[in-house]
């Protein structure tokens, strides 16, 4: 029972006899003898073995340990596949949303630019003696001034965003 449990737990941890031997500071043949039932570890090595295999001593000495069945592994792999598909769909939906937001931003910038050019800065001819007109003209001029300086960078960024978020499977 001990020999079978050592072998099963070692394989479940993905360790070779050599790797387990290095962890326990023994030779590989010692591990082989334990697994074949030709010898047993002393109490010190039994404790070290339980630590190396991350299992209690009672499990090593107790009932037979079973390897995970293929059905369990298959169901786990199917669940992981479903999770990967969900994550992929979520990433695609975010990519699509970002793509359309970049397109919307580029269109808005172009429309505001067209409106500003068509108006030809009408606030320049306003009478600034009226305080309300002066405030409105200053706000309009500030918007136009900031827009003309920032919009090209935002437009270039949105075009880059459109290109970066387009569908890759075409």
């Amino acid at each position: 029972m001990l020999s079978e449990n050592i072998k099963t737990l070692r394989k479940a941890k993905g360790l070779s006899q050599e790797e387990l031997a290095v962890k326990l500071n023994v030779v590989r043949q010692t591990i082989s003898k334990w697994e074949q039932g030709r010898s047993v570890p002393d109490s010190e090595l039994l404790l070290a073995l339980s630590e190396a295999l991350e299992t209690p001593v009672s499990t090593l000495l107790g009932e037979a340990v079973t390897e995970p069945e293929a059905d369990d592994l298959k169901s786990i792999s199917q669940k992981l596949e479903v999770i990967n598909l969900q994550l992929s769909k979520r990433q695609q939906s975010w990519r699509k949303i970002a793509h359309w937001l970049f397109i919307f931003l580029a269109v808005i910038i172009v429309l505001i630019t067209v409106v500003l050019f068509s108006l030809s800065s009408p606030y320049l001819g306003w009478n600034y003696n009226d305080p309300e007109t002066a405030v409105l003209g200053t706000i309009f001029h500030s918007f136009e001034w900031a827009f003309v300086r920032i919009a090209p960078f935002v437009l270039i960024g949105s075009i880059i965003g459109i290109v970066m978020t387009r569908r890759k499977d075409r």
Side-chain angles (χ1 to χ4, degrees):
M1 196 166 325
L2 174 63
S3 59
E4 294 167 6
N5 288 349
I6 292 172
K7 186 174 186 177
T8 304
L9 290 168
R10 175 183 61 79
K11 287 184 176 182
K13 293 290 181 190
L15 295 172
S16 67
Q17 287 182 344
E18 183 68 35
E19 292 168 330
L20 183 57
V22 168
K23 284 186 170 198
L24 299 175
N25 201 22
V26 295
V27 294
R28 185 200 58 79
Q29 289 80 1
T30 304
I31 305 296
S32 177
K33 286 180 184 179
W34 292 346
E35 290 182 356
Q36 293 173 6
R38 293 190 295 161
S39 70
V40 293
D42 63 11
S43 60
E44 265 185 49
L45 284 174
L46 192 59
L47 288 172
L49 184 62
S50 74
E51 288 179 19
L53 296 175
E54 299 173 348
T55 187
V57 174
S58 59
T59 302
L60 285 172
L61 297 173
E63 296 179 9
V65 177
T66 57
E67 291 187 47
E69 295 187 20
D71 291 339
D72 293 342
L73 293 176
K74 190 173 185 178
S75 68
I76 290 172
S77 69
Q78 288 173 345
K79 288 177 184 177
L80 287 174
E81 187 176 338
V82 168
I83 291 170
N84 283 337
L85 286 172
Q86 289 172 343
L87 290 174
S88 175
K89 286 181 182 178
R90 185 177 296 160
Q91 183 181 15
Q92 288 175 355
S93 68
W94 279 110
R95 181 183 293 256
K96 187 183 284 187
I97 289 170
H99 182 75
W100 285 106
L101 285 175
F102 284 128
I103 290 173
F104 178 74
L105 183 62
V107 168
I108 292 298
I109 289 173
V110 169
L111 289 176
I112 291 174
T113 303
V114 168
V115 167
L116 288 176
F117 277 114
S118 67
L119 292 177
S120 299
S121 304
Y123 60 87
L124 293 177
W126 291 354
N127 180 6
Y128 282 89
N129 290 331
D130 179 22
E132 291 176 4
T133 306
V135 169
L136 188 60
T138 304
I139 290 172
F140 193 71
H141 178 70
S142 299
F143 170 76
E144 186 178 70
W145 182 86
F147 182 81
V148 167
R149 279 150 185 78
I150 296 172
F153 297 109
V154 175
L155 183 62
I156 290 170
S158 64
I159 290 170
I160 290 171
I162 291 168
V163 170
M164 299 288 286
T165 57
R166 74 183 189 284
R167 284 181 50 186
K168 302 283 185 193
D169 55 54
R170 289 185 188 176

